[in-house]
Amino acid sequence: MNDEHEYQEAIERAAEVLRDAQRPVIMTGAGVSAESGIATFRDPEEGLWAKYDPMELAHIDAFERDPELVTRWYHWRFRKCKDAEPNAGHRAIAELQRRVPGTVLVTQNIDGLHQAAGSEGVIELHGSILRWRCTDTGAIVPIEQIPFEEFPPRSITGGLLRPDVVWFGEMLPPEALEAAAEAVSACDVFMSVGTSSVVYPAAGYAEMAASRGVPTIEVNPEPTPLTARVDVSLRSGAGRAMPDLVRMAFGN
Ligand code: OAD
């Protein structure tokens, strides 16, 4: 962590940039939901990928090989996400969208917590675990109609149901990719919040913005491959830094 003085200075610099912005892009990752009790992926002890093998659980081949195992695991994660509450970081991002209506929020998260905090127009690059779809028809099945007593769950027509998320080995949704690329190419500030910045294309967006001379800000208690390249690094949890930043930029 920065010491307190460095942190305050960084908040002031970030607030100055944000105050003038009309089209900021906020890109979020699992870290923004950590303070809501949702595990991140790459934390060396508590991260999901420290405990589970993504190739066994989050790959399209894994679902095809063992749909029971994969849907049980996603149902466990679904319940965690459904029961979680948005935290101060999510709420501050929603507040920023109200203060600066041109703000575009792009997330790699599948937990729906930005929407629960009041964010609108969220671009979900990796889908949502709160939606499940039929692998036969592609139709989204309302969650309360899914028979989670048996695994893998099936639709009334007998098709296997799966979470509407992006697995390894799958393409990202083209509309979300297009919307994100368009927002990044038009943004006047780029913020990366709570992501390790190692998974593409999300990790490349900051570089795209920076190459146009757009100011870049990172919020993360740990350094990432992006840290040395951003204009302002806020070394803190999003639950503290985002409310501090919005308050400093726009007042209470
Ligand atoms: P990671 O687990 O890779 O990174 C989470 C980041 O959040 C780390 O850099 C942490 O330091 C940081 N962090 C932890 N607590 C934080 C807090 N309170 N506030 C802010 N930051 C905090 O998660 P992602 O970057 O989201 O994809 O991972 C990207 C993708 O990789 C995920 O969407 C997932 C994963 O494999 C798929 O499953 C397809």
Side-chain angles (χ1 to χ4, degrees), residues 28-35 39-43 47-49 54 58 74 77 87 107-110 126 165-168 172 193-199 202 218-224 236-240:
T28 66
V32 80
S33 296
E35 292 165 68
T40 63
F41 295 94
R42 293 180 181 78
D43 182 275
L48 288 176
W49 297 160
Y74 272 87
R77 287 184 61 202
N87 64 55
T107 189
Q108 297 164 90
N109 298 345
I110 59 174
H126 294 166
V165 301
V166 177
W167 280 323
F168 292 101
L172 271 61
V193 183
T195 171
S196 56
S197 290
V198 294
V199 176
E218 180 179 58
V219 175
N220 199 312
E222 304 295 334
T224 75
S236 166
R240 179 187 182 204

Side-chain angles (χ1 to χ4, degrees), residues 82-112:
K82 188 172 69 72
D83 293 343
E85 303 270 351
N87 64 55
H90 297 109
R91 289 195 295 274
I93 291 171
E95 177 63 17
L96 172 61
Q97 288 186 295
R98 285 189 281 275
R99 301 287 184 129
V100 186
T103 305
V104 176
L105 175 56
V106 185
T107 189
Q108 297 164 90
N109 298 345
I110 59 174
D111 55 33

Side-chain angles (χ1 to χ4, degrees), residues 21-38:
Q22 289 178 338
R23 297 176 308 280
V25 166
I26 320 281
M27 165 84 228
T28 66
V32 80
S33 296
E35 292 165 68
S36 293
I38 309 272

Side-chain angles (χ1 to χ4, degrees), residues 25-27 104-107 121-125 172-187 190 201-202 205 208-209 212:
V25 166
I26 320 281
M27 165 84 228
V104 176
L105 175 56
V106 185
T107 189
V122 186
I123 300 175
E124 295 178 317
L125 284 180
L172 271 61
E175 320 77 55
L177 269 180
E178 205 173 301
E182 195 180 312
V184 172
S185 67
C187 72
F190 184 91
Y205 290 148
M208 277 170 61
R212 289 194 296 113

Side-chain angles (χ1 to χ4, degrees), residues 103-196:
T103 305
V104 176
L105 175 56
V106 185
T107 189
Q108 297 164 90
N109 298 345
I110 59 174
D111 55 33
L113 288 177
H114 283 303
Q115 290 88 338
S119 279
E120 287 180 7
V122 186
I123 300 175
E124 295 178 317
L125 284 180
H126 294 166
S128 171
I129 202 168
L130 306 184
R131 292 189 302 266
W132 288 56
R133 66 170 200 260
C134 175
T135 52
D136 278 353
T137 63
I140 299 290
V141 177
I143 206 80
E144 58 286 353
Q145 290 175 19
I146 299 182
F148 281 124
E149 303 80 45
E150 55 183 77
F151 290 91
R154 288 178 182 274
S155 71
I156 43 172
T157 56
L160 286 183
L161 293 173
R162 59 162 285 178
D164 192 27
V165 301
V166 177
W167 280 323
F168 292 101
E170 294 188 308
M171 305 284 281
L172 271 61
E175 320 77 55
L177 269 180
E178 205 173 301
E182 195 180 312
V184 172
S185 67
C187 72
D188 52 8
V189 174
F190 184 91
M191 288 191 67
S192 174
V193 183
T195 171
S196 56

